[in-house]
Amino acid sequence: MFIMAGCSKRRFSVKEVVEALEIDSDSEPLVEPADSEDDVNLSSDITGESSEYETESEGDASDEARDARAWFRVDPARQCPPPPRFPFTGKPGLNVEVPSDPLSYFRLFVSDSVIDKIVVETNRYAEQTDTSHTKPFSRANKWDPVTSDDIFVFLGLIILQGILGKPVQRWYWSKNKLLETPIFSRYMSECRFSLIMKNLHFTNNDEFDEATHPAPKLKKIWEIFQEFISNCQQTYTPERDVSVDESLMAYKGRLSWIQYIASKRARFGIKFYMLCESNTGYIWNSVLYTGKGTTWDGKYSQYGIATSSVLTLMDPLLDNGYCLTTDNFYTSPELVDILVQRKTDVYGTVRPNRRDMPKSMPKTKLQRGDVAAWQRGKVIALKWKDKKDVHLLSTVHDASTTIVRVRGDKEVSKPVAVVAYNHTMGGVDRADQALTFYPVMRKQQKKYYKKIFRHLIEQCLWNAYVLFKKYVNKKLSHADFTWKLVEQILAEHKPSVLPARSGRRCSTVVNPERLIGRHFIDYCPPTAKKQNASRMCVVCCSKVGESGKKVRKETRYCCPDCDVGLCLVPCFKLYHTEDVY
């Protein structure tokens, strides 16, 4: 066989074809052997047709290194086995022992060290805040240092706000009968909640050094963010199939690294690159994008954003036989080759104009339902015609198709690679969808680092629910898990500063438990100003006298369980037996 200079195609011998189709995951790309008299046309030997499936050469055919990386056309009709997967050596599952209750799973991610860090830095920031210019009766002068119990109750209330959505935050403490939610004022006053939110902080500003900080743009949230990622990785090891995609946190504030993604529901916001388990949507790793200052793994700094982001997220999982699914922003022959060298399989959609893609792929015209394929070592490039052209790269699939449904008398088929992509690509989207159900974030939150923190709390909630659902034998919906978590937080953590109780009491009290259970009379608890405290009797105040006005009567007795003032006789009995009070 001879090779003509400048020719873009050459012919393989039968021996070469067999060696090319016997794909070994650990082998190097096929190197062109010496010329032989047995050289024949690939397609004419196998299919008896013309040379449609010939090899593409990247340049001068005499350059063996370039020929070794050349794509050759594959006949999709041939029944060739798909490339073997790398052996999976990971040990997926929960890495810690945890009690089977929602709060224990939540504390796997919001750990004691995270809470202690918030307590220390919030108190420090409050002390550093200058209040000398404030008015004497300003709420800023009513600050009391927070404890870990305060922060837990604070988190419980903002999670509850995500379930009980109200457009204005102060409405959660409203006494209006249409808006009232008594549980908030029972555990924390609106003033105390607002002061904690105002002084909420996560780092020591005095220790910041822009020259040595790994992410100066994220200085306000960096330490908490890194600890959250560490907790996600140490708590759970994902299963074999994982996916990488970007997630957008809605935000329209003034930041130089705000992103616009038209395909996302929230088009403007802060972008996260996230690695999730395909089956459950468990968030295992993420990188917060800040433009040119984004912190990537130093080992991959020579690559572009698409490749370096994937390799940074996947780095702890490489060499373990994981299988990654990516979309066309990330997928490229460069990324695939690197992952194959690190014993990691990958497949996903790809842009046909990527560097090192088959040159004839964009020019190949197909009818709807047809498939074209190109092979290069363990990697196969597919082009499938649906309503539009779909291009994929895969290291674990062949060009075969499968029937997905029957439309009338016609069978609808798709490539196996497309079916697998649709099944495993939705990990990040599954997590994003779940985070919108009961949002901890609020539109009124202007400080970017506080909004990122609330978004991290949402991700902690989701991860906790995923693990609870997987390892606890209880059928609990996402909504039930969330409110039971809040219930457990408020039951186990008592705030250090209890809300002040007013002497006046609303006449209409909604308490479903007042007609059931066991109730006992007790003295009203003393206050800071009055040792022998008294309260308005809820029964007497609901009566209307001869003048048509409600009766005002105070009593020293109350029902601690119902939290209302009651006269000893007969009001205590009436309140716990009559339907309307």
Side-chain angles (χ1 to χ4, degrees):
M1 183 185 75
F2 63 91
I3 302 176
M4 298 180 58
C7 182
S8 61
K9 295 185 179 181
R10 70 181 182 84
R11 300 171 181 240
F12 278 97
S13 66
V14 174
K15 181 179 179 181
E16 289 180 65
V17 173
V18 174
E19 291 178 352
L21 295 177
E22 290 178 354
I23 301 168
D24 186 355
S25 59
D26 295 327
S27 64
E28 293 296 324
L30 184 65
V31 178
E32 178 187 356
D35 294 342
S36 170
E37 296 180 357
D38 297 331
D39 292 346
V40 292
N41 184 281
L42 169 65
S43 58
S44 61
D45 271 10
I46 297 177
T47 64
E49 299 174 356
S50 61
S51 58
E52 179 183 358
Y53 302 103
E54 293 180 343
T55 305
E56 298 182 5
S57 176
E58 297 293 335
D60 189 356
S62 63
D63 189 347
E64 293 186 359
R66 299 181 73 88
D67 281 344
R69 304 296 300 163
W71 294 92
F72 65 88
R73 188 75 177 268
V74 177
D75 185 1
R78 296 188 63 235
Q79 298 297 324
C80 296
R85 292 179 180 266
F86 290 110
F88 181 58
T89 58
K91 297 180 179 180
L94 198 60
N95 300 326
V96 295
E97 294 183 0
V98 56
S100 57
D101 59 89
L103 181 56
S104 297
Y105 278 87
F106 180 69
R107 296 187 72 162
L108 292 174
F109 308 99
V110 184
S111 58
D112 291 337
S113 59
V114 172
I115 297 297
D116 293 340
K117 180 72 174 177
I118 297 175
V119 169
V120 171
E121 299 305 335
T122 299
N123 288 330
R124 190 201 310 273
Y125 183 74
E127 293 175 359
Q128 294 172 347
T129 303
D130 183 16
T131 59
S132 58
H133 63 282
T134 59
K135 296 180 179 180
F137 297 101
S138 172
R139 65 170 55 186
N141 297 322
K142 299 178 182 180
W143 170 258
D144 290 310
V146 296
T147 63
S148 59
D149 288 330
D150 291 328
I151 296 299
F152 262 114
V153 172
F154 174 78
L155 294 179
L157 293 182
I158 66 173
I159 293 172
L160 188 59
Q161 289 177 0
I163 302 175
L164 309 173
K166 295 183 182 181
V168 182
Q169 184 169 278
R170 67 174 182 272
W171 284 7
Y172 291 101
W173 285 267
S174 174
K175 297 298 182 181
N176 189 306
K177 302 307 175 187
L178 298 176
L179 304 174
E180 187 177 15
T181 313
I183 192 67
F184 286 88
S185 57
R186 182 178 300 177
Y187 283 90
M188 188 173 289
S189 66
E190 193 270 336
C191 176
R192 176 69 167 169
F193 182 90
S194 300
L195 284 175
I196 295 178
M197 182 63 73
K198 177 183 177 181
N199 294 315
L200 190 65
H201 223 67
F202 315 105
T203 188
N204 187 357
N205 294 335
D206 296 336
E207 296 179 354
F208 172 69
D209 185 359
E210 187 173 1
T212 59
H213 199 280
K217 293 182 179 179
L218 298 175
K219 60 182 180 180
K220 297 283 190 179
I221 194 66
W222 178 252
E223 298 173 26
I224 294 295
F225 179 67
Q226 290 301 303
E227 188 152 1
F228 163 69
I229 297 300
S230 176
N231 290 340
C232 290
Q233 296 180 2
Q234 294 176 8
T235 298
Y236 178 75
T237 302
E239 297 176 355
R240 183 193 63 186
D241 293 321
V242 294
S243 61
V244 168
D245 201 356
E246 65 266 10
S247 174
L248 203 65
M249 185 197 80
Y251 186 74
K252 289 187 177 181
R254 289 186 143 188
L255 282 178
S256 60
W257 27 283
I258 289 293
Q259 297 290 299
Y260 171 78
I261 303 179
S263 60
K264 299 294 183 180
R265 182 177 181 181
R267 293 176 295 170
F268 294 91
I270 298 173
K271 183 164 68 175
F272 290 76
Y273 292 104
M274 291 170 50
L275 170 66
C276 293
E277 187 180 57
S278 297
N279 185 34
T280 63
Y282 178 89
I283 302 170
W284 195 82
N285 198 359
S286 65
V287 174
L288 216 165
Y289 181 71
T290 58
K292 293 183 179 179
T294 305
T295 303
W296 307 113
D297 194 314
K299 295 181 291 186
Y300 312 115
S301 57
Q302 70 272 26
Y303 302 110
I305 292 179
T307 300
S308 58
S309 60
V310 173
L311 295 178
T312 299
L313 293 169
M314 282 292 298
D315 186 69
L317 301 179
L318 296 177
D319 301 313
N320 289 313
Y322 276 90
C323 187
L324 173 67
T325 310
T326 56
D327 64 14
N328 60 13
F329 175 78
Y330 307 95
T331 313
S332 67
E334 176 189 57
L335 174 64
V336 172
D337 291 342
I338 297 172
L339 292 177
V340 168
Q341 292 174 7
R342 300 298 301 272
K343 297 181 180 179
T344 302
D345 287 310
V346 58
Y347 57 87
T349 55
V350 64
R351 298 171 185 173
N353 58 351
R354 290 277 196 184
R355 182 183 300 174
D356 294 333
M357 289 291 291
K359 290 184 178 180
S360 62
M361 177 179 275
K363 303 175 184 178
T364 302
K365 303 298 182 181
L366 300 175
Q367 298 296 322
R368 184 166 184 175
D370 291 345
V371 178
W374 294 260
Q375 188 84 33
R376 190 184 72 177
K378 185 174 168 61
V379 186
I380 190 170
L382 296 176
K383 182 174 184 178
W384 172 56
K385 179 70 172 181
D386 192 31
K387 292 182 178 179
K388 297 181 179 179
D389 290 333
V390 179
H391 305 85
L392 297 99
L393 284 180
S394 176
T395 64
V396 295
H397 298 102
D398 55 10
S400 62
T401 60
T402 182
I403 299 173
V404 293
R405 64 180 180 274
V406 177
R407 184 183 299 165
D409 296 334
K410 186 178 180 181
E411 295 179 343
V412 179
S413 61
K414 291 183 180 180
V416 176
V418 173
V419 176
Y421 174 83
N422 292 338
H423 181 68
T424 59
M425 185 56 205
V428 177
D429 293 335
R430 186 175 290 106
D432 279 348
Q433 183 182 19
L435 298 185
T436 62
F437 293 155
Y438 316 106
V440 175
M441 291 189 302
R442 295 189 66 83
K443 293 182 180 179
Q444 294 88 348
Q445 197 79 59
K446 296 181 179 180
K447 298 290 185 181
Y448 80 93
Y449 60 93
K450 295 181 182 179
K451 194 155 190 175
I452 292 176
F453 172 73
R454 297 179 78 143
H455 187 62
L456 294 179
I457 295 298
E458 290 178 343
Q459 294 181 355
C460 292
L461 272 171
W462 171 245
N463 280 357
Y465 173 65
V466 167
L467 297 184
F468 182 88
K469 183 179 180 181
K470 189 171 184 178
Y471 291 101
V472 179
N473 190 21
K474 294 181 181 178
K475 293 184 178 180
L476 206 62
S477 67
H478 191 190
D480 289 338
F481 176 86
T482 305
W483 74 258
K484 284 182 179 294
L485 169 64
V486 176
E487 181 182 49
Q488 199 172 357
I489 289 176
L490 298 182
E492 296 187 13
H493 298 276
K494 185 178 180 181
S496 60
V497 179
L498 294 174
R501 297 188 181 278
S502 174
R504 294 180 178 271
R505 189 71 184 180
C506 180
S507 60
T508 304
V509 180
V510 179
N511 181 15
E513 296 183 353
R514 67 183 180 89
L515 300 177
I516 60 176
R518 303 174 67 185
H519 300 268
F520 300 93
I521 199 74
D522 198 357
Y523 288 104
C524 296
T527 63
K529 296 182 179 180
K530 193 173 182 180
Q531 183 65 26
N532 297 323
S534 61
R535 300 177 65 175
M536 304 293 292
C537 176
V538 69
V539 175
C540 294
C541 291
S542 64
K543 298 178 181 179
V544 179
E546 297 178 357
S547 61
K549 297 182 179 180
K550 293 183 179 179
V551 178
R552 174 186 174 91
K553 186 175 181 180
E554 293 189 1
T555 176
R556 289 196 57 201
Y557 300 97
C558 70
C559 176
D561 295 330
C562 300
D563 193 22
V564 292
L566 291 167
C567 295
L568 190 59
V569 178
C571 298
F572 186 85
K573 179 180 178 181
L574 293 175
Y575 181 78
H576 293 105
T577 55
E578 298 292 335
D579 290 336
V580 180
Y581 268 114

